[in-house]
């Protein structure tokens, strides 16, 4: 899956992985800018995966496309939960509609679209753009084998095998339709263990990001 919108370079993500995370909490001006938003869309994330050896580029691209849709679904689920629980004041466009409209506009075929154009195509007030860099320390098969060994032992991970199985750097950005400008962003770095999956890492990220999101009624309390 190809993306064109202000993608975060691998170098920037690598810096996040190496140097920790940054969380940008916006001032009251941001809340004034998003107060008029009623419907937003979650753009399929751009996902880069490295650290996997002996895998061809075609397989990597296929995996990145799969994880992009998985991440998009998890993000949608978290925000929809916030809406249902009356903690978020915007509605979230259904993913099928978002992706169908983007496909019709040529987004997945390298058709350049500005944030405002994407909002027009989708019929929303703002878009949530995200970038993920997943660094695999071990393959999924190796992680599963290690997890099985831990389960059989019943006493925790064997000595020397307690480190992370993957690392994920993430950047979230909200773009306003009217101005076409970014009005909010959030960056973080997450380390996974043998029990982690990309889905659980996204859940952890959304739990932390929700504390800073301008769309939540009660800031400081995660969804």
């Amino acid at each position: 899956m190809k993306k064109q919108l202000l993608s975060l370079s691998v170098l920037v993500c690598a810096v996040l992985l190496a140097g920790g995370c940054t969380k940008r909490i916006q001032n009251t001006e941001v809340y004034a800018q998003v107060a008029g938003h009623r419907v937003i869309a979650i753009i399929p994330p751009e996902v880069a995966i490295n650290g996997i050896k002996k895998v061809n580029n075609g397989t990597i691209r296929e995996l990145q496309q799969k994880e992009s849709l998985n991440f998009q679904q998890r993000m949608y689920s978290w925000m929809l939960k916030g809406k249902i629980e009356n903690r978020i004041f915007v509605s979230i466009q259904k993913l099928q509609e978002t992706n169908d409209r983007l496909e019709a506009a040529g987004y997945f075929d390298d058709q350049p679209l500005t944030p405002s154009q994407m909002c027009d195509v989708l019929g929303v007030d703002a878009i949530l753009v995200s970038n993920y860099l997943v660094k695999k320390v071990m393959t999924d098969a190796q992680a599963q084998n290690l997890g099985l060994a831990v389960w059989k032992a019943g006493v925790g991970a064997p000595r020397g095998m307690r480190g992370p199985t993957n690392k994920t750097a993430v950047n979230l950005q909200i773009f306003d339709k009217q101005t076409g400008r970014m009005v909010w962003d959030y960056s973080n770095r997450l380390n996974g263990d043998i029990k982690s999956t990309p889905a659980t890492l996204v859940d952890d990220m959304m739990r932390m990001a929700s504390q800073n999101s301008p769309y939540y009624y009660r800031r400081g309390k995660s969804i």
Side-chain angles (χ1 to χ4, degrees), residues 70-144:
N70 288 338
F71 290 165
Q72 184 190 30
Q73 180 63 57
R74 299 299 294 193
M75 293 167 67
Y76 175 82
S77 297
W78 267 96
M79 296 196 71
L80 183 62
K81 179 182 177 182
K83 178 65 176 178
I84 292 174
E85 295 180 352
N86 200 33
R87 296 182 183 179
I88 183 173
F89 65 81
V90 292
S91 297
I92 305 93
Q93 187 176 72
K94 292 182 179 179
L95 297 187
Q96 188 65 54
E97 181 178 359
T98 296
N99 294 344
D100 285 349
R101 290 193 177 197
L102 288 174
E103 184 175 10
Y107 176 74
F108 300 119
D109 297 319
D110 288 332
Q111 177 63 41
L113 294 172
T114 67
S116 292
Q117 288 173 333
M118 293 184 69
C119 288
D120 284 335
V121 166
L122 298 173
V124 297
D125 300 305
I127 54 175
L128 176 61
V129 178
S130 56
N131 297 268
Y132 290 83
L133 173 62
V134 179
K135 184 176 182 180
K136 294 281 188 178
V137 178
M138 64 176 68
T139 66
D140 291 338
Q142 289 172 325
Q144 291 173 359

Side-chain angles (χ1 to χ4, degrees), residues 132-195:
Y132 290 83
L133 173 62
V134 179
K135 184 176 182 180
K136 294 281 188 178
V137 178
M138 64 176 68
T139 66
D140 291 338
Q142 289 172 325
Q144 291 173 359
N145 290 335
L146 177 57
L148 180 61
V150 171
W151 177 77
K152 288 182 176 179
V155 293
R159 181 177 299 178
M161 294 186 178
R162 295 188 176 89
T165 62
N166 56 70
K167 300 179 180 180
T168 302
V170 60
N171 180 254
L172 307 178
Q173 299 173 327
I174 294 174
F175 288 87
D176 174 61
K177 174 183 178 180
Q178 186 174 3
T179 64
R181 296 179 179 177
M182 182 184 69
V183 295
W184 178 84
D185 70 331
Y186 174 90
S187 299
N188 208 340
R189 182 192 68 184
L190 302 172
N191 293 326
D193 57 26
I194 60 174
K195 296 181 181 179

Side-chain angles (χ1 to χ4, degrees), residues 29-89:
E29 181 181 352
V30 172
Y31 297 94
Q33 288 179 297
V34 304
H37 293 176
R38 294 294 175 263
V39 183
I40 69 168
I42 301 174
I43 305 303
E46 179 171 336
V47 178
I49 299 176
N50 63 25
I52 303 179
K53 300 179 179 179
K54 299 181 180 179
V55 176
N56 61 51
N57 292 335
T59 300
I60 289 292
R61 285 194 297 269
E62 183 178 348
L63 180 58
Q64 289 174 165
Q65 292 173 8
K66 179 180 178 181
E67 295 294 16
S68 175
L69 295 178
N70 288 338
F71 290 165
Q72 184 190 30
Q73 180 63 57
R74 299 299 294 193
M75 293 167 67
Y76 175 82
S77 297
W78 267 96
M79 296 196 71
L80 183 62
K81 179 182 177 182
K83 178 65 176 178
I84 292 174
E85 295 180 352
N86 200 33
R87 296 182 183 179
I88 183 173
F89 65 81

